Amino acid sequence: MSVKEAALYMGVSKDTIYELTRKKNIPHLRLGRRILFRKNALDIWMREMEKSSLKVEKDIANSYLGEDLKLNL
C-alpha cells in the first residue's frame, strides 16, 4: 500500500507516515522514490506498539500505587 493508503488505514496524516519512515520507526519498503507498506507488517507493528504502550502505562500506574496495590494488566 502507498503512503496515502497507509495513512488512511492507520488513521494518521501522511506527514506522520513520512516522519515514521524517515526515522525508520515503521516497517516499509522503498522502491526508487516510492514508499510501500504491507498491511500485515503494519498490523504486527501496531500490535507491538499497543503492547509496549500498555506496559509503560502499567509501569507508571504501579509506581504510583505502591507494592500492595499493583495492577495485573
Side-chain angles (χ1 to χ4, degrees):
M1 71 177 58
S2 68
V3 169
K4 181 179 178 179
E5 292 167 328
L8 286 170
Y9 179 68
M10 294 175 59
V12 298
S13 70
K14 290 191 310 184
D15 289 340
T16 298
I17 297 294
Y18 283 121
E19 181 74 12
L20 290 168
T21 57
R22 187 179 63 76
K23 292 181 176 180
K24 296 181 170 66
N25 288 341
I26 191 171
H28 65 282
L29 169 67
R30 286 191 178 267
L31 289 176
R33 296 185 63 180
R34 293 195 62 185
I35 302 170
L36 301 173
F37 303 87
R38 288 186 306 131
K39 181 184 177 295
N40 186 49
L42 292 178
D43 289 338
I44 292 168
W45 179 78
M46 287 189 291
R47 198 172 308 121
E48 291 303 314
M49 294 297 102
E50 286 174 343
K51 285 180 188 177
S52 66
S53 70
L54 287 174
K55 182 185 179 322
V56 169
E57 289 173 14
K58 177 184 171 187
D59 292 346
I60 290 169
N62 285 337
S63 70
Y64 286 107
L65 289 174
E67 210 47 52
D68 55 334
L69 297 174
K70 294 231 183 231
L71 298 175
N72 294 315
L73 299 176

